[in-house]
Amino acid sequence: GENVEQHPSTLSVQEGDSAVIKCTYSDSASNYFPWYKQELGKRPQLIIDIRSNVGEKKDQRIAVTLNKTAKHFSLHITETQPEDSAVYFCAASWGVGAQKLVFGQGTRLTINP
Amino acid sequence: GAVVSQHPSRVICKSGTSVKIECRSLDFQATTMFWYRQFPKQSLMLMATSNEGSKATYEQGVEKDKFLINHASLTLSTLTVTSAHPEDSSFYICSAREGRTSGGVFGPGTRLTVL
């Protein structure tokens, strides 16, 4: 089955700097790659996603890139702010219609003021 | 937007009792719902896929007789943890698929503590 590896497990950056979180997946059939932000005790919130027919997607300070050949995708956050501090999860899924997600291990991002 | 609710948000029970968690899609119909479990400081692990009107599909290693899933309507799925033990203490989160939304919309989660 699909396996998703996420790095780093923790990341600390200065406010205003950029943060990059990377994930690799094992199943070449995976075609949907969402990123979630989770604050302590709360549900995961979708922040951006990308499909396999696209190489890059951007939404304001957040961008995701996908390299299908290498089977890896990355989350880029620019101009980081203290409220970006949270745990971020990547995920992968495949198929058409209802899709279950396989999550990465998570990255605890801390933005230092 | 699509909203998913869960009830209860927190539950504390004694070892050996059963606990039922409800997952509802409030403003859309969900033919498929997913149940995840998240232990402290860990990732979300899929437990089972709940299909309206049919049996749930369980992930490898998840005991179907211990985690009973019922998806009786297009807006409600329930997860019952039977004979709960302290090792079942976790954060249980459901998600419901709305239309073509891949991955689904997550509920707020239920924190289960078994004493």
Side-chain angles (χ1 to χ4, degrees), chain B residues 1-3 10 12-13 18 31 35 54 62 67 75 82 97-100 109:
Chain B
V3 178
R10 290 177 178 271
I12 301 173
C13 69
S18 294
T31 55
W35 286 97
S54 64
V62 178
F67 298 99
T75 59
T82 62
R97 179 199 170 214
E98 182 250 349
R100 297 180 179 180

Side-chain angles (χ1 to χ4, degrees), chain B residues 12-18 82-88 113-115:
Chain B
I12 301 173
C13 69
K14 292 182 178 180
S15 185
T17 61
S18 294
T82 62
S83 187
H85 289 91
E87 56 266 30
D88 298 322
T113 302
V114 185
L115 303 177

